[in-house]
Amino acid sequence: MVKSYLRYEPAATFGVIASLESNISYDSSGKFLLSPALEKVAVWHVRQGVCSETLSPSAASPAPSLAVTAIVSSPSSSLVAVGYADGSIRIWDFSKGTCETTLNGHKGAVTALRYNSNGSMLASGGKDNDIILWDVVGETGLYRLRGHRDQVTDLLFLDSGKKLVSSSKDKFVRVWDIETQHCMQIVSGHHSEIWSIDSDPEERYVVTGSADLELRFYTVVKHDLEGGATLGSSDQKESVDDGLISGSNKWEVLKHFGEIQRQTKDRVAKLRFNKPGTLLACQVAGKTVEIFRILDEAESKRKAKRRIHRKKEKKEKKEKKEKETENGDVKHASLEDGSNPTIVVSDVFKLLHILRSGKKICSTSFCPINAKNSLATLALSLNNNSIETYTIGSDSSTQTLAIELQGHRSDVRSLSLSPDNSLLLSTSHNAVKIWNPSTCNCLRTIDSGYGLCSMFVPGDQSNKYALVGTKGGKIEIIDVASATCVEVVEAHGGPIHSIAGLPDKTGFVTGSADHEVKFWEYRRLKKSGEGLERLTVSNVRTMKMNDDVLKIALSPDAKYIAVALLDCTVKIFFVDTLKFFLTLYGHKLPVLCMDISSDGDLIVTGSADKNLKIWGLDFGDCHKSIFAHADSVMDVKFVPNTHYVFSVGKDRLLKYWDADTFELLLTVDGHHAEIWCLALSSRGDFIVTGSHDRSIRRWDRTDEPFFIEEEREKRLEEMFEADIDGASDNRYAPKDELPEEGAVASAGRKTQETLTATDLIIEALDMAEAEIKRIAEYEEEKARGTVAKFQSNILMLGLSPSDYVLRSVSNVRPNDLEQTLLALPFSDALKLLSYLKNWTTNSEKAELICRVAVVLLQTHYHQLISTPSARPVLSELKDILHARVKECKDTLGFNLAAMDHLKQLMAMKSDAPFRDAKTKLLEIRSRLAKRNDERTDTREERKKKKKQKKGSDGHAWTVVQ
């Protein structure tokens, strides 16, 4: 009989506030902050500081360990576009917590995402150097833009979504015309990789940032219908000659404006304007964010006039000092006219202040809603797994919120479960956290040293204590109920690598790098004047070793103690007399972890040489040596009362073994970095793992049985699918085989899902063809005489052959439809074309039918025109599809005209017409600015006259009122 096992599956992930691979982003309302949490997206309620929702891919996804690499929220709805490391993009509705659609197109990680102004179109860039335009409403890819020679780092829509600006590590900025799908301008000038690009909401200025010491600014040239061009702001329209603009290059969209010197030498990581366009945040790859204020037109003009005035004064003083009166008039004529100054970049962008954080900043995001008495609210994600929000004022920035209690600041180095499995203790470099493993909530946080090992003290459950062994050689006794460290014991002269409880629950044993193994016992002390007892420990025995102690393990009957040393051996001693019993030789590198089975028969050791060794504890013989992991084995545990073993390693995998048959039962992938530690419940019903990615994951045992042979076949299939995906990836192709620069290609990508969808369509076509033959035979028999009632194929779900094929085609995701149809053979494509005529009666499927027809005609054009049987089908489709498309177009036109009519009726009934209040506000501001300019001009003229009189008479005039 074949033996079956119970499967362990991922159940929960907690401890991650903000991972490092992606950016953070506010939603359109400003109430929620979206942060990457490895493969998930955490939705944080900003005011409450709690995680209200988690957007997680389904457990059935092919690669659950793929990280989130880009996040952008829609400007007009609750939709969020999330890019992943496998090149896929998922559109989430975070208000419902559901994934609306999945878009597959990139062959590398998604590095940049940007919505257009109304949220109907999405642009994405990836490590495959490609840019893809997506139709969010139609849930499909439009086309792929190729031209960059390195990773795309940022994207930007301009001119109401008609143009797209992209930056890349190839040191170039490209401007793409979306309507004609070509690159219309290439902007050079940077000496290193360009990391970010952004524009203000009014699209006046575009700023780019790289590792250069300055920020580069460009003005946006907007071309009118007659071929003329205007710059993005009215002050520059006045300052630049009209003939020069009208005669400018019609392909020029970005015109160089100037540079501003940055205050820090680190490279630029992200540039973003706030929603009103009054502030610019320049985040560098360090601990600072430079905040620039954008001055309006009137302030910019005043600043330019002051600059020119100071320049004139310096010039005059210099001339007067040198006594060169002959050339004075000539030099004055060469200066700018103060009445109409030329605006430079320093007149518009002014450094407000520099925001400094205690840790390295990973990402920033402006809140779309401003707080009272502040210029903006800025959120920062830090590399220590925390989020901070700052209120930016005119003078300084103040921190308003810090989300940090829900996770560790560094790696999770050890885990231990309480005897009743109700509490979980985790340690890191500066804190100990107590969790509820069922709800995944953090219950307590206690400051401590660098904890390398830990354990709960068994005994009275109403007054729980825990022990933590630190890197400084101390044992910290923690009172779990009060969340305090009640005592710190100077235990060892080196780091305490291991701690293990005695089976009789009277004490514990510690092993340290100071070559000592110490036995401790628990003691209860009463404070004077208090009736409460307090736990303390005392050293009762010490055993000297010849090398550093890395791990210790005690047999369940308290007969043996196993000590792993730095010399790659494991020495076993008798607990009562501390006499030597056995030495386990065989590992080539030090043993990092080990465990003894519940019956005391087996001991398993894991080493830095990537091997697991299973030994018999009676004679010390090695039963089996298994190459278990692709990197060091970090922890190993026996399931209680069994010979099943769990192991974790630096290769990020959790593996399940049978120590009797030496078979690999299960491999579970989930963590994104090295796994340091493992904790197993007393009943073996769940496992908890801690990792370098700062996450803690729980894996639950299910009631689903599995067999070893099935798991082997599954692993082989995954390897085969990985080979298919790798073969379709052109990243490793020679450069001469890559697409030429400026090419436009299909947006889709062949995946395992598209191949499966193709197989399902072929299967549906074959089943429908067989059903049609059965119906024809039944009709012939019915014409001859009486026959039994026709029984349709039960697999067709009561649908007609045509409707069944339509159902199979409709089930294909819109984004995968093109790649699915491309894989169809010509014979099946011809069958599919024959069904299109019947489907046209369904008006709801008109768009789908047209897409299928266009893809099949483009793919099999030459074969179709040379096949006589296809000509009648094509001639019928020509007339029918044209009529159906015209009906859809007329319906859309009628609906648009009706909405315009309703808008006019509402405008006639209301006193407030449909008009943009912003234009009126700008007109008022421009009038006020002109008045202020006239006043400043008159003041400057008076001062000038006074100076002239003073110079001519040789003395100052005194004015008496």
Side-chain angles (χ1 to χ4, degrees):
M1 184 176 177
V2 180
K3 188 176 181 180
S4 64
Y5 304 86
L6 293 180
R7 188 181 298 277
Y8 284 81
E9 290 185 349
T13 304
F14 51 99
V16 181
I17 298 173
S19 52
L20 310 179
E21 292 82 6
S22 177
N23 62 298
I24 59 174
S25 176
Y26 275 97
D27 74 317
S28 56
S29 66
K31 294 180 180 179
F32 298 97
L33 182 65
L34 308 165
S35 70
L38 303 178
E39 76 275 7
K40 302 179 181 180
V41 176
V43 182
W44 296 92
H45 194 286
V46 178
R47 288 188 178 179
Q48 299 175 0
V50 297
C51 183
S52 59
E53 186 71 39
T54 301
L55 310 178
S56 174
S58 62
S61 59
S65 63
L66 288 173
V68 173
T69 56
I71 301 174
V72 64
S73 57
S74 173
S76 59
S77 64
S78 61
L79 295 180
V80 178
V82 181
Y84 294 85
D86 63 345
S88 64
I89 301 170
R90 287 179 174 85
I91 309 295
W92 296 87
D93 188 340
F94 75 88
S95 61
K96 302 176 184 177
T98 58
C99 180
E100 299 296 319
T101 184
T102 301
L103 308 172
N104 287 308
H106 288 285
K107 296 172 183 175
V110 178
T111 55
L113 288 172
R114 187 73 72 113
Y115 274 103
N116 63 347
S117 57
N118 57 10
S120 63
M121 189 181 294
L122 177 70
S124 65
K127 284 188 175 179
D128 56 0
N129 311 345
D130 292 346
I131 302 167
I132 301 180
L133 272 295
W134 306 92
D135 181 2
V136 178
V137 179
E139 300 179 358
T140 183
L142 300 177
Y143 47 85
R144 184 189 304 265
L145 299 173
R146 286 174 171 164
H148 284 294
R149 294 298 180 185
D150 208 336
Q151 170 185 324
V152 179
T153 55
D154 210 349
L155 297 166
L156 172 66
F157 279 100
L158 286 180
D159 196 11
S160 302
K162 295 179 181 178
K163 294 179 179 61
L164 180 69
V165 185
S166 61
S167 62
S168 171
K169 283 187 177 181
D170 62 4
K171 308 176 186 178
F172 292 106
V173 173
R174 288 177 176 264
V175 183
W176 308 83
D177 191 319
I178 292 179
E179 294 178 350
T180 59
Q181 304 173 15
H182 78 284
C183 179
M184 57 190 304
Q185 185 183 4
I186 301 176
V187 182
S188 60
H190 283 283
H191 304 291
S192 58
E193 296 93 343
I194 305 173
W195 289 98
S196 187
I197 184 171
D198 199 27
S199 170
D200 62 317
E202 296 180 1
E203 297 183 0
R204 296 179 299 167
Y205 309 103
V206 171
V207 56
T208 59
S210 67
D212 302 343
L213 295 179
E214 65 273 341
L215 297 176
R216 289 180 179 268
F217 291 84
Y218 303 87
T219 53
V220 181
V221 181
K222 297 181 179 179
H223 299 271
D224 54 21
L225 297 175
E226 297 177 357
T230 58
L231 293 177
S233 57
S234 60
D235 58 346
Q236 292 170 42
K237 294 175 191 175
E238 297 173 1
S239 61
V240 181
D241 182 62
D242 295 335
L244 179 63
I245 297 176
S246 59
S248 63
N249 183 6
K250 67 176 183 178
W251 303 112
E252 187 178 30
V253 177
L254 300 182
K255 188 176 183 64
H256 187 254
F257 186 33
E259 294 90 11
I260 287 184
Q261 196 78 12
R262 295 193 291 113
Q263 302 297 314
T264 54
K265 295 182 179 180
D266 297 321
R267 71 167 178 86
V268 174
K270 190 175 183 181
L271 292 166
R272 284 296 179 266
F273 286 85
N274 63 341
K275 190 174 182 181
T278 57
L279 295 178
L280 170 65
C282 172
Q283 176 219 334
V284 300
K287 300 180 181 180
T288 60
V289 178
E290 298 178 21
I291 308 294
F292 293 89
R293 184 166 175 246
I294 295 91
L295 306 180
D296 57 16
E297 296 178 9
E299 290 176 322
S300 301
K301 281 186 178 180
R302 285 197 293 271
K303 192 173 180 182
K305 288 180 180 179
R306 288 195 297 269
R307 174 175 51 82
I308 294 170
H309 185 65
R310 286 194 299 269
K311 191 175 180 182
K312 283 183 178 179
E313 287 182 346
K314 289 180 181 179
K315 201 76 173 176
E316 288 174 356
K317 288 179 181 178
K318 187 177 180 181
E319 291 171 357
K320 189 174 181 181
K321 193 173 182 180
E322 296 175 355
K323 297 180 180 181
E324 293 178 357
T325 55
E326 294 83 7
N327 299 328
D329 296 336
V330 179
K331 290 185 179 181
H332 270 294
S334 63
L335 293 173
E336 294 182 56
D337 185 10
S339 61
N340 190 17
T342 301
I343 306 295
V344 297
V345 65
S346 59
D347 298 330
V348 182
F349 294 88
K350 175 186 176 183
L351 180 64
L352 189 63
H353 54 260
I354 298 176
L355 190 153
R356 300 184 187 277
S357 177
K359 294 293 181 179
K360 186 177 178 181
I361 302 171
C362 295
S363 177
T364 61
S365 179
F366 272 113
C367 179
I369 307 298
N370 288 348
K372 292 182 180 179
N373 303 323
S374 67
L375 298 176
T377 301
L378 185 67
L380 311 178
S381 68
L382 307 180
N383 72 337
N384 66 345
N385 192 29
S386 64
I387 294 174
E388 296 177 351
T389 59
Y390 288 82
T391 299
I392 300 173
S394 56
D395 299 328
S396 62
S397 300
T398 56
Q399 182 178 335
T400 56
L401 176 69
I403 302 174
E404 57 184 12
L405 294 178
Q406 291 85 351
H408 282 288
R409 304 282 73 77
S410 64
D411 305 7
V412 180
R413 293 311 303 256
S414 74
L415 291 170
S416 59
L417 283 162
S418 61
D420 60 353
N421 303 321
S422 62
L423 295 178
L424 172 69
L425 184 144
S426 61
T427 66
S428 67
H429 80 293
N430 64 351
V432 172
K433 287 185 179 289
I434 310 294
W435 308 81
N436 185 333
S438 300
T439 61
C440 306
N441 293 329
C442 182
L443 306 178
R444 302 281 190 275
T445 299
I446 306 110
D447 293 335
S448 72
Y450 198 131
L452 296 178
C453 54
S454 61
M455 65 169 283
F456 277 92
V457 176
D460 186 10
Q461 299 301 314
S462 63
N463 192 9
K464 293 183 180 177
Y465 288 93
L467 305 173
V468 176
T470 67
K471 195 174 183 180
K474 301 175 183 178
I475 296 177
E476 297 181 354
I477 303 175
I478 293 172
D479 187 350
V480 177
S482 62
T484 56
C485 180
V486 296
E487 187 179 357
V488 178
V489 180
E490 296 285 346
H492 288 274
I496 302 176
H497 289 298
S498 182
I499 185 169
L502 291 171
D504 57 5
K505 302 180 182 179
T506 59
F508 61 96
V509 187
T510 57
S512 170
D514 63 356
H515 303 185
E516 289 183 349
V517 175
K518 290 189 177 183
F519 289 77
W520 306 79
E521 68 175 13
Y522 304 123
R523 289 185 179 178
R524 303 276 177 172
L525 296 178
K526 283 188 179 181
K527 286 186 179 180
S528 59
E530 295 183 7
L532 296 176
E533 289 185 343
R534 182 174 63 84
L535 181 73
T536 185
V537 297
S538 62
N539 182 22
V540 292
R541 286 191 294 176
T542 301
M543 185 167 54
K544 292 283 185 178
M545 308 301 296
N546 296 325
D547 215 329
D548 293 9
V549 178
L550 300 181
K551 191 71 176 177
I552 55 175
L554 288 155
S555 62
D557 57 1
K559 186 177 180 181
Y560 302 113
I561 178 171
V563 182
L565 302 176
L566 193 62
D567 60 1
C568 309
T569 64
V570 177
K571 297 187 182 298
I572 301 175
F573 302 87
F574 291 101
V575 174
D576 51 358
T577 61
L578 298 184
K579 287 186 177 180
F580 174 74
F581 174 56
L582 287 173
T583 299
L584 307 181
Y585 297 98
H587 284 290
K588 297 178 181 178
L589 290 174
V591 174
L592 304 176
C593 55
M594 61 183 174
D595 195 23
I596 299 175
S597 61
S598 301
D599 56 6
D601 291 341
L602 299 178
I603 178 172
V604 60
T605 57
S607 168
D609 62 7
K610 311 173 188 177
N611 289 324
L612 278 179
K613 289 184 183 291
I614 301 169
W615 315 77
L617 197 57
D618 47 1
F619 299 107
D621 55 325
C622 181
H623 293 181
K624 187 70 174 179
S625 180
I626 305 170
F627 182 76
H629 290 268
D631 210 330
S632 302
V633 183
M634 298 308 298
D635 207 350
V636 63
K637 287 284 190 301
F638 271 104
V639 178
N641 304 318
T642 68
H643 283 181
Y644 303 146
V645 180
F646 280 99
S647 66
V648 294
K650 284 187 176 180
D651 59 355
R652 312 177 182 185
L653 297 177
L654 168 67
K655 294 192 175 183
Y656 187 27
W657 307 87
D658 189 336
D660 291 330
T661 61
F662 318 120
E663 291 279 359
L664 174 61
L665 306 180
L666 202 61
T667 300
V668 187
D669 184 12
H671 279 286
H672 296 245
E674 299 92 337
I675 306 176
W676 295 124
C677 49
L678 164 70
L680 195 60
S681 68
S682 58
R683 297 185 299 272
D685 55 345
F686 70 91
I687 319 151
V688 185
T689 54
S691 169
H692 178 70
D693 61 16
R694 297 161 190 172
S695 70
I696 302 172
R697 293 176 184 263
R698 192 183 85 238
W699 320 81
D700 288 353
R701 184 173 63 196
T702 64
D703 295 330
E704 178 190 354
F706 70 92
F707 302 94
I708 296 177
E709 291 297 328
E710 291 180 356
E711 288 302 312
R712 285 179 186 164
E713 293 177 3
K714 191 176 179 181
R715 286 194 288 270
L716 289 173
E717 288 178 4
E718 290 175 356
M719 292 172 60
F720 177 69
E721 291 173 7
D723 291 340
I724 291 177
D725 293 337
S728 62
D729 197 342
N730 67 352
R731 284 179 295 177
Y732 307 105
K735 288 188 176 180
D736 54 355
E737 295 181 9
L738 292 174
E740 68 274 8
E741 182 177 348
V744 180
S746 171
R749 177 170 67 99
K750 184 174 72 172
T751 61
Q752 192 62 33
E753 287 81 4
T754 60
L755 296 177
T756 304
T758 303
D759 294 338
L760 291 176
I761 291 177
I762 293 174
E763 183 181 350
L765 288 170
D766 294 340
M767 193 179 297
E769 186 178 12
E771 187 70 5
I772 291 172
K773 288 182 179 179
R774 285 184 62 227
I775 294 173
E777 292 174 358
Y778 172 76
E779 293 295 335
E780 290 179 1
E781 293 179 2
K782 188 177 179 181
R784 294 174 188 169
T786 58
V787 292
K789 186 178 179 181
F790 179 77
Q791 296 291 334
S792 60
N793 190 345
I794 193 173
L795 296 177
M796 298 186 68
L797 307 175
L799 299 174
S800 65
S802 177
D803 292 341
Y804 183 71
V805 177
L806 176 60
R807 178 178 176 273
S808 300
V809 176
S810 302
N811 287 338
V812 181
R813 291 186 300 194
N815 182 52
D816 296 337
L817 183 62
E818 184 175 356
Q819 292 294 326
T820 300
L821 297 176
L822 284 174
L824 278 177
F826 175 70
S827 58
D828 293 308
L830 196 58
K831 293 178 188 176
L832 192 58
L833 280 173
S834 64
Y835 287 105
L836 296 184
K837 180 183 176 182
N838 297 332
W839 298 348
T840 53
T841 55
N842 189 349
S843 59
E844 297 179 357
K845 300 293 183 181
E847 183 180 357
L848 175 65
I849 297 165
C850 291
R851 285 191 63 195
V852 172
V854 169
V855 173
L856 293 180
L857 287 173
Q858 289 178 344
T859 306
H860 306 285
Y861 174 74
H862 295 289
Q863 287 177 289
L864 285 171
I865 60 176
S866 60
T867 305
S869 60
R871 293 173 186 172
V873 178
L874 295 177
S875 59
E876 289 180 355
L877 287 177
K878 176 185 175 183
D879 300 328
I880 295 173
L881 289 182
H882 186 272
R884 291 291 178 267
V885 172
K886 190 175 183 302
E887 288 177 7
C888 293
K889 186 178 179 181
D890 293 342
T891 303
L892 291 173
F894 180 82
N895 291 337
L896 289 173
M899 285 189 284
D900 289 337
H901 180 64
L902 291 174
K903 183 178 176 181
Q904 292 174 3
L905 289 177
M906 293 176 67
M908 290 170 63
K909 293 179 182 178
S910 175
D911 295 334
F914 282 86
R915 59 178 296 183
D916 191 2
K918 193 173 184 180
T919 55
K920 191 173 182 179
L921 182 63
L922 291 174
E923 290 175 3
I924 296 172
R925 285 182 177 174
S926 62
R927 278 190 234 137
L928 294 174
K930 286 181 181 178
R931 289 178 188 173
N932 293 332
D933 293 341
E934 291 173 0
R935 291 174 184 172
T936 53
D937 290 341
T938 54
R939 289 174 185 169
E940 289 178 359
E941 288 176 1
R942 290 173 187 171
K943 291 179 181 178
K944 200 172 184 181
K945 288 178 181 178
K946 284 182 181 180
K947 287 182 179 179
Q948 289 175 355
K949 288 180 180 180
K950 184 178 178 181
S952 59
D953 297 342
H955 64 276
W957 291 87
T958 304
V959 180
V960 180
Q961 294 181 352

